Structures are given as C-alpha cells and as structure tokens.
Amino acid sequence: MSSQDSESISPHELRDAWPVLSLEERVESFKLVPHATADVFFLSLPAKEQAELILALPTGERRTWMRLLAPDDAVDVVQEANAEAKAALLAELDSTTRHEVMALLAYAEDEAGGLMNPRFARVRPDMTSDEAIRYLRQQTRQKGETVHEVYVLDAQQHLLGVVSLSQLFQAPPGMPISEFMVTKVFTVTEETDQEAVGRLFSRLGLMAIPVVDAENRMKGIITVDDIVQVMQEEATEDIQKVGGMEALDAPYFSVGFVAMLRKRAGWLLVLFLGEMLTATAMGHFEHEIARAVVLSLFIPLIISSGGNSGSQATTLIIRSLALSEVRLRDWWRVARREVVTGLLLGAILGGVGLCRVVVWQYLFQSYGEHFFRVALTVGMSLVGVVLWGTLTGAMLPFALRRAGFDPASASAPFVATLVDVSGLVIYFTVASLILRGALL
Amino acid sequence: MSSQDSESISPHELRDAWPVLSLEERVESFKLVPHATADVFFLSLPAKEQAELILALPTGERRTWMRLLAPDDAVDVVQEANAEAKAALLAELDSTTRHEVMALLAYAEDEAGGLMNPRFARVRPDMTSDEAIRYLRQQTRQKGETVHEVYVLDAQQHLLGVVSLSQLFQAPPGMPISEFMVTKVFTVTEETDQEAVGRLFSRLGLMAIPVVDAENRMKGIITVDDIVQVMQEEATEDIQKVGGMEALDAPYFSVGFVAMLRKRAGWLLVLFLGEMLTATAMGHFEHEIARAVVLSLFIPLIISSGGNSGSQATTLIIRSLALSEVRLRDWWRVARREVVTGLLLGAILGGVGLCRVVVWQYLFQSYGEHFFRVALTVGMSLVGVVLWGTLTGAMLPFALRRAGFDPASASAPFVATLVDVSGLVIYFTVASLILRGALL
C-alpha cells in the first residue's frame, strides 16, 4: 500500500485492501484514516463489518461510531452482534436513540418495520410554508435528522399529506401547507414484506415511503437507499437458488470453506438422489438397450433438451413472479401459452434432431438399416420431452408459490432432474411404438 | 370495475386493470381519473407506457404530460418513440428543457450520462447558510427542480463539495458554506457503466451521486430512484441468462409470442447443437455399451451430476463478479478453492453412488457378477465428473469476462452442456480402465 503521507491511509486505499485484511489489520488501518474522512468510510461498510469493527475497538472509542449511525442503521449493526455484545452496543447510544432502536429490534428483519427510520420531518397542516421552513430548521438542528420529504400530521399523528422540500421552497411564503400538500400518499404498513416494498420503490420511483399502522398513524419512513441494499440481496438469493444452491447470504470469500461446502453439497445430494431414479428407469429399459444399442446414443441429447427447455421456462416464470409481472391467478394463461411454445420449440429441436440422424447415416452409415425409424424416434421424442419440460418448468414455480414455498426454489437443476426421469420414459415409450418389429 | 362515483376511476382501480387494457381503453380510462391524482398515476408508469399514452392523446393534451417529466425521465420517454414521434414529443417541451433533453439523448442508455438529470441545486462556497436557503427557495421556484443535496461549485462549475439540506438547516445562519461542506464527494463520470453506478449506490447508501467530466466540472446528478429501476432490470437480465435464455427486456405478457419464441429457440438450438456432440461421443463408445449394457444405465446420473455441480459453481461466480465481491484477478484463488470443493463434492456423490450400486445388487441382483467393479466405475467417474464440472463452471465466467463478454452468459444450461460431453469421456475412460478383462 503506498501513500503520500506514510502515517495516514486514504479511504480509497483502505477500501481496496479491506476485503483481504484480518480484523486486527482492519482496526489498525482504520485508525490511520484521517478523522475527517473516516466517517464516510465507516458509513459505507456493510452492517456486519461495522459491528465487527466497533466491537474490536477499545470501549472508549465505540461511542463515536455508534452515535454516527441513524436509528435504522444502528438496528442493523446491533442485530449482527451476539447477545452479550448487543447490550454493550446499545449502551453506547443516547437514551432516545436506544429506545427507538430497541423498538425497531422487535420487527422482523425482512418486514417494512425492520427497515424503517422512526425519525422524519413532520409539520402541521395549518403552518405556512415560511413557518414550516423555520420549524424544520429548528427541528433538524436539534435532532440531526435527514430531510427527504416533509410529512403533514394531525395532532394524533395521522398522516394527512406530504410535501417535498422543493414544493415547500416554491410555495408563496404565507400559504398554509394544507393548500398545496399532496394528499394522495403511497404508504406501507409495518408488516409489509421487504420485497413488496422494493417493488413499490422501483415501480413508483420514490425517494422515501411512509410506514403507517392500521389507523393511518405514521410510524416512520423507509428511504430508498436502504431498499437498494435489500433489493441486491433478494436478487442474489434468487440467482443462487435458480443456479441450484442454498442462498449464501454473504460474499464468496467471506463464507467459510466448510459452510460453503455444506450449502452446496446439500442441494447436490438432493438432486443426485432424485437423479438416481434415472438409473432405476434405465434398468427397466435394459432389455431394449441390449437389443438396440443405437437407442442409448441419444439418451444424453434427449434428456438434456428436456432439462434445458425446463430451466428456461422456470427461470422466466420465477422472475416474472418475483417482479409481480405474473400473478398466481395467471397460471392458466401461462399454461396455455407455454403449451403452444413448448410444442413449437419441440418441433424445431425435433426437426433438427431428425435431420442429424439422417445426415449422419448418409455420411457415415452410423445407424444401420432402420435408420429412418431411429430418426423418427429421436424427432418425436424431442417434441414430447421439450413440451413436457417447458410445461413442468413453467408450472412448478406456481405450484411452489401456491404451497407457500419460494418459487425461486424451482431451480434450473431441480427442474432438469425432474424432467430427466420422465424424459427417459417418454423416449423409450416412443421407441417401443416406432421400432416395434424393426429393432425391438 | 366498481367505483363510488360512476364517472371517475381511482388510480388504484386503474393500476389493477392497466396491464390487461388495450391502448384505446387505457386512453379512455386515463381521461376518467380525477386530474388531481392523474399525474401521480402518470409518473408511476414505465417510460414505454408513458410514451404510448402521450402519443395516443390528442395533440393539444400532450404538452401537460411531457412538461410534467423531469429532463432525465423525458429522455426515457422520447427514446421509446420512433423517429417521427420523437420530434413531435420534443416539440412539446419548453426550449430550455428541449435543449437539455437533446443533449442527454446523445449518451448511451446504459451509461451514467444516460441516467443523469442536468438540473440540481447549486450554491457558491462563500454564501452563508441563510443566503443559501434564500437562494435555493428562489432557484427552485423558478425551475421547479427537486432538491436532494446541494452542490457547491466555483465559477467554472468545478465541484468543490456537497451539503445536505439538513446540514444547511442545522448550520448557524451566518456561517459560510465552505466551512461545513463535505469535500470528500464520491462522483462518477458520464461514461461510467450503469451497473457500476448501481453498485456504488448500494455499497455507499447514497441518495444522489454527482456526474462530473474529466476536469471535475459538474454535469448533473443521478438520483437513487432512477438507479433502482436499472438494478431491477440488470438483475432480471442476469437471472434470465443464468436460466439459459436471451434477456427479455420486458414483462412476460408484454413480449409478443413470436419474439418470445425466437429468444427462447435461439439459445435452445445453440445448446442442442452443442449437446449433439454427446451423440457423437456415445458413438465412439457404442462397442463398449454393446458389451456391457449395464454401463448405459448410469449415463444420465453421471452426466447430470457434472452439469449440476457446474451450474452451481457458475451461478455463484457470476453473481460474485456482478457484485464485485470477486474480481478478475482473483481467478487463481477461486480456482484453488474450487478444486478442493469439487474433489470433496465428488467424493460425497461418488460414495453415495458406489453404495447405491452395491445395495441394489444385494437387494435385486441388478448388476451381475462384476457388480463391484461397476460400483467402483460409477464412484470414480463421479469424482472426476463433479471435479471437472465444478472447475469448468467456476472458471468459465472469468474466461468470458476476460474475453470481454458478459459473465452471465455462462448460463447453467450452457455449462451443463459443456460438461455433458466431457462427462461421457471421463465415464467411459474410467470404465475401460476398471472393467478391462472383466466386462470389457
């Protein structure tokens, strides 16, 4: 690490080196960052690393960093610590924030309540814009909160409307807020799932969204910067599940070797046990294979085509469900569309497969006198297998969602395994129909 | 659709019905939304639907809606229209905004320049906090811009620092901004890729980020609400690629049947042509299969295990690269880790596979006198195939990134296809070594 001043480290240098440093090295390097920029660096760390860092600092230095955090971020940090350390971290907060943080800790981490900041700018509807600006200056000076939008509440904390700072700035100085506030406000409740909150932000392009209780009393706000991290996490989880493993919940190099092995071996074993059924199924067709070895040559081609078309369909539907582009009740519309799609995709691959066999026969005489029946078997099987794979892949996420599971568990490898066994049955059934009397 | 007032439609009702309405029905329903809330609804639509809606309205009504859009959002709408309609839409804007929009249209859609809003709140470093607040009130009243953070620029537009509105509110009235502004500002340039911008937002928890040119002159800001949509899109693209299809770029039901079929058939055909190599490879082992049909029984089990372990590894690395948790230069660290992981995963599956053969032999006498050699062949092949699948899956995204392609193209089905052919070769090579003199 080079530095102009050998005694200090720039935040950029530290950020580059950070992932590979041990906890001791992190603490040492962190102390060398000039104080003026250390807080920018500290605030940019994930909650887990903030917690580790604070707990590794001498007791006297912890307070500064805990108090730098907004209540909702302090909650995340406290949640990362074990029971004993939790108490120690809470003790560093001033008593108002401590009460707020303890109230927030009661919410589930993945609900709106667990994301919200109980501090927000509030005004009364009968204030003028001038009064409101003066009042906000005072309010923020005392509490040090960040102003995104200003919420208009009555004396019972009911949410009446919202004004942006620009609207406040633009309004004639003497105009009461009730005359220009926006009364149509999108809200969520404390129990709204964080994925739903994320969708709302992304669809409406909001900067902050108020959290209200059942009586429309305002509890706090969720700001878009918190939801951005949530959305990245949710997308990563979905991608990892689609690829056929348990969600990791942490960066690649941060997951211990054994933990990683366990997460990956688990799913692989489940898939392997499922795939064992192919050996059983194949056992039933051993006699046919012995009589017509040529049949075995196309087994990988045929079952993988079912798997591929199934992965494709399942991935498409999983993501559409996650983004609410497709809803549970649309399953029948999707099924009809996928049947037609599957038939056409199957016809395309089947046609290519049939040609492949015929051409190879003319070039290399690979498949004996009954080559055309073999070609027909391959082609017809592909239509059936691709249709079946597409339909299974498309319907499985609906079935999982209906049964209360995460549709993303219908991973590409899971669907492929499911389709492999039925693909073999389809292939050998078609073969016995077409090749009876010829090869079989 | 029910409504208390039969003449008007609430935005909520309209939002529910919207996806299934034709363009004519959309225009008719939109006109029935009370004017006070119509703009909230309009702003919540995706750019594409905003463009369609505006163009379907009578010429006289277009102006209101075009002028409601911030310059960066107007750019998105104009980009959705064809050449002729583009000019018509631009003509509806006031001349200042039109020039801004035309300048923004020159940027690539997926670069920072294409996302930025050229309007932002700016102050001089020598203003006091009181002067700045007065000045901002005036500025926003004239230009109607949204204030997130206030940027401190010198006379040549160089970015000197940033103050949040709360900091401005909290500062003593007479204090010059230069004394409390934050001078450590994270910036991007106009050419920064939008994925990189998204990562910066998610890592730093920012609300807005300034865009500067090479001389640190400020060009505009990107706000987090715009990046949220970008991030959803990028995640969807990655998930669809991992599942083995071209990215759709639109919701499931909005993609025409033929367009959808083309996108899916393309990748399936590529995979199918690759998978045809398995038929060729199998052709080379036809003689062995004819002599030992029992070998064919385990082909699906063995090649799918390679495919599954490969999908898993590739998905893991693709997402880690996308989130910059793993960098290109880490490939060697990843390779070493994945070799050990692959060996252990292979040993686990191989052990289970070996037991499966032995147990079935004792229960059903399925595999003849040489059953233990068969079991050994299956077990050893699984070790080799899983190790190979894991390593290939993990290294492929690095190779693609290195060659300038999107690592997400290393989809699970793509890796599975790649591993299938080599899996067959491994299996039959191991078989010929272990079964020579016995079955072969």
Side-chain angles (χ1 to χ4, degrees), chain A residues 387-423:
Chain A
L387 170 60
W388 175 244
T390 305
L391 200 60
T392 312
M395 290 299 104
L396 196 63
F398 286 106
L400 286 173
R401 159 81 53 106
R402 185 78 185 74
F405 295 105
D406 182 353
S409 310
S411 63
F414 181 53
V415 170
T417 300
L418 207 69
V419 173
D420 276 357
V421 181
S422 31

Side-chain angles (χ1 to χ4, degrees), chain A residues 263-421:
Chain A
K263 291 218 171 198
R264 290 166 70 169
W267 248 118
L268 273 190
L269 260 178
V270 170
L271 295 173
F272 188 76
L273 295 177
E275 195 72 31
M276 274 188 181
L277 291 175
T278 59
T280 311
M282 292 283 290
H284 287 286
F285 304 118
E286 195 174 354
H287 179 66
E288 281 82 356
I289 296 172
R291 287 188 60 178
V293 174
V294 66
L295 280 182
S296 70
L297 307 188
F298 302 100
I299 290 174
L301 181 64
I302 284 171
I303 62 175
S304 73
S305 299
N308 289 342
S309 48
S311 311
Q312 207 177 57
T314 207
T315 308
L316 193 62
I317 300 302
I318 286 171
R319 190 62 183 166
S320 299
L321 281 171
L323 296 179
S324 297
E325 293 169 2
V326 165
R327 284 148 206 266
L328 198 49
R329 61 169 183 265
D330 293 323
W331 73 272
W332 180 237
R333 263 177 86 194
V334 172
R336 276 179 309 173
R337 188 167 165 160
E338 290 299 314
V339 164
V340 185
T341 307
L343 264 178
L344 288 174
L345 290 175
I348 295 172
L349 297 195
V352 175
L354 191 146
C355 293
R356 159 71 167 74
V357 175
V358 173
V359 168
W360 253 241
Q361 174 65 22
Y362 280 105
L363 292 178
F364 313 110
Q365 284 79 45
S366 313
Y367 305 118
E369 54 166 338
H370 296 294
F371 77 93
F372 194 73
R373 292 207 191 192
V374 173
L376 213 59
T377 304
V378 170
M380 299 291 288
S381 303
L382 279 169
V383 177
V385 167
V386 171
L387 170 60
W388 175 244
T390 305
L391 200 60
T392 312
M395 290 299 104
L396 196 63
F398 286 106
L400 286 173
R401 159 81 53 106
R402 185 78 185 74
F405 295 105
D406 182 353
S409 310
S411 63
F414 181 53
V415 170
T417 300
L418 207 69
V419 173
D420 276 357
V421 181

Side-chain angles (χ1 to χ4, degrees), chain B residues 226-259:
Chain B
D226 293 320
I227 210 70
V228 163
Q229 289 175 2
V230 167
M231 282 171 43
Q232 288 277 37
E233 285 165 21
E234 298 270 354
T236 302
E237 252 183 64
D238 278 5
I239 290 179
Q240 286 172 348
K241 284 188 185 166
V242 165
M245 62 181 302
E246 273 182 75
L248 271 188
D249 299 328
Y252 179 82
F253 284 122
S254 315
V255 180
F257 184 79
V258 175

